[in-house]
Amino acid sequence: MKAVFVEAYGPYRNAVLKTAQDTAPEEGEVLVRLMAADVNFPDILVMEGKYQVKPPLPFSPGKAGAGIVEAVGDGVTGIGPGDRVAVQVEYGAYAEKVLVPAQTCYRMPDDMPFDIAAALGLVYQTAYFSLMERAAFKPTDTVLVLGASGGVGMASVQLAKALGSPCVIAGARGAANAAFAREAGADHVVDLGMDNLKDGLRDAVKEITGGHGADIVIDPVGGEANAAALRAMAWCGRMVIVGFASGDIPAIRANYLLVKNIGVNGIQWSDYRERDPAAVAAAQEEIFQLWSAGKLDPIITHRVALDDFMTALDVAAGGKVQGKVVLTLAGD
Ligand SMILES: NC(=O)c1ccc[n+]([C@@H]2O[C@H](COP(=O)([O-])OP(=O)(O)OC[C@H]3O[C@@H](n4cnc5c(N)ncnc54)[C@H](OP(=O)(O)O)[C@@H]3O)[C@@H](O)[C@H]2O)c1
């Protein structure tokens, strides 16, 4: 089988496509022939040794995908050869075949394309746990999503709407990203590229919400957008720190938290995958059901063949992603 390999930590462009041996599943494992792999910004961080988990070298990057079960190890029940599944792994999904713990292998709907199943992986899981676990989402909440044209942002916009939010406000930079966020399902869009973002975002959100503010902020961006969003929050609002796509880790001004009873929570989604796989499996089932009901529709802007994986990585690394980038394998 072919797989992308990182042989030394450093620039992601040093990664190579190589042929590797198939390995048989051990106890509790499932061998999956992947048809699509999810490409995410954190993959770049992993490849460059800048991520909290550093896989032993050499390794294949990639945290999610979808394909067909080829074989299962001892003790695996409920999944067998021929089943169509989505998978979540710490790394290893930029490959034609991947070994997955059975507990992070999820049956997908019969009519779901593999690339959609892959796209409904990491960013939708992150958005789901950000909203439901970290922000205690209620269907009356107004949700402000920063970086709304990116992967986590698009997923958060769509999930907040699908779960019943009456008002989802997207923060995105520039007209093209604003249009994309609307296409993804946002009710309103605020341009985060505006002058005086600090006052401007608060004023825009207050105007949209009749002075109420955002009950929930989902922030995969950080930097000055985070500081501005904090000022745009409602009383008893909940902010979730998802990432720092701007490259700037914000220092949060605690006086805002005190004055408006605001809670700020972080999320490290992969911890849920390791510590509470049953909750992650239940979330994946709900995400798939919302897709089947027509309430979620991941927008895949780049489908790239495995042989051309560097193009996919360049898009992901460039910070200009709209929606999802997916690697296609085995002719999905
Ligand atoms: N905590 C977790 O468990 C978890 C899980 C997945 C991802 N993440 C992290 O979440 C972040 C986003 O991931 P992603 O997959 O959504 O990345 P992505 O698809 O590349 O999207 C990032 C978005 O951030 C926006 N952005 C970048 N710089 C900005 C700035 N200076 N000001 C405002 N917006 C800016 C961009 O939109 P505009 O051009 O419109 O601004 C872009 O669409 C990354 O840091 C990633 O590592 C964390």
Side-chain angles (χ1 to χ4, degrees):
M1 66 134 181
K2 282 191 289 187
V4 175
F5 277 97
V6 172
E7 296 176 318
Y9 287 113
Y12 70 88
R13 283 201 133 259
N14 292 346
V16 289
L17 189 66
K18 288 172 84 164
T19 301
Q21 289 287 327
D22 282 10
T23 39
E26 294 188 356
E27 186 171 353
E29 286 184 331
V30 178
L31 178 66
V32 179
R33 181 160 57 89
L34 289 178
M35 309 295 266
D38 188 20
V39 177
N40 289 286
F41 179 75
D43 299 338
I44 303 291
L45 301 177
V46 176
M47 296 170 82
E48 299 195 337
K50 297 172 183 164
Y51 195 70
Q52 48 268 36
V53 175
K54 289 193 175 58
L57 296 163
F59 70 93
S60 296
K63 291 179 173 293
I68 298 169
V69 173
E70 213 163 81
V72 300
D74 289 346
V76 175
T77 55
I79 287 179
D83 285 348
R84 301 168 86 246
V85 293
V87 303
Q88 296 277 2
V89 285
E90 184 58 44
Y91 58 90
Y94 289 7
E96 288 177 327
K97 295 185 187 180
V98 65
L99 280 172
V100 189
Q103 62 188 12
T104 58
C105 216
Y106 319 101
R107 277 176 191 280
M108 47 190 269
D110 291 343
D111 60 344
M112 179 178 280
F114 290 109
D115 56 358
I116 294 290
L120 286 169
L122 180 68
V123 296
Y124 282 83
Q125 280 278 352
T126 302
Y128 185 94
F129 278 85
S130 294
L131 286 164
M132 301 300 282
E133 289 283 326
R134 311 310 292 148
F137 173 83
K138 300 187 295 300
T140 49
D141 286 331
T142 289
V143 181
L144 169 62
V145 178
L146 307 181
S149 62
V152 172
M154 173 186 70
S156 301
V157 166
Q158 291 196 347
L159 267 168
K161 282 311 294 177
L163 294 167
S165 170
C167 178
V168 175
I169 305 169
R173 290 184 302 178
N177 285 343
F180 182 87
R182 274 191 195 282
E183 187 190 339
D187 299 301
H188 304 272
V189 183
V190 179
D191 189 344
L192 298 182
M194 69 171 80
D195 292 337
N196 190 10
L197 181 63
K198 196 169 131 200
D199 293 332
L201 181 57
R202 179 197 57 201
D203 294 348
V205 171
K206 288 279 166 90
E207 192 181 327
I208 290 166
T209 59
H212 179 77
D215 298 302
I216 293 176
V217 171
I218 303 295
D219 180 13
V221 170
E224 65 165 337
N226 176 276
L230 190 59
R231 293 161 60 100
M233 292 184 73
W235 182 73
C236 283
R238 289 89 71 204
M239 171 181 275
V240 184
I241 306 295
V242 181
F244 312 110
S246 68
D248 183 0
I249 299 175
I252 289 173
R253 296 278 300 273
N255 53 323
Y256 286 96
L257 313 189
L258 183 150
V259 168
K260 286 204 273 184
N261 282 13
I262 288 171
V264 180
N265 273 323
I267 181 161
Q268 179 64 34
W269 174 78
S270 55
D271 279 358
Y272 285 102
R273 188 194 62 216
E274 298 305 317
R275 290 168 184 259
D276 197 351
V280 168
Q284 196 67 53
E285 196 175 331
E286 188 173 350
I287 289 166
F288 285 163
Q289 280 170 0
L290 288 168
W291 177 85
S292 295
K295 293 184 173 181
L296 294 179
D297 185 14
I299 302 171
I300 301 172
T301 51
H302 296 79
R303 288 178 176 78
V304 181
L306 180 64
D307 285 348
D308 196 20
F309 73 96
M310 201 57 80
T311 300
L313 291 178
D314 285 343
V315 174
K320 304 243 180 313
V321 179
Q322 290 183 327
K324 284 307 308 168
V325 180
V326 169
L327 284 176
T328 55
L329 305 108
D332 178 31

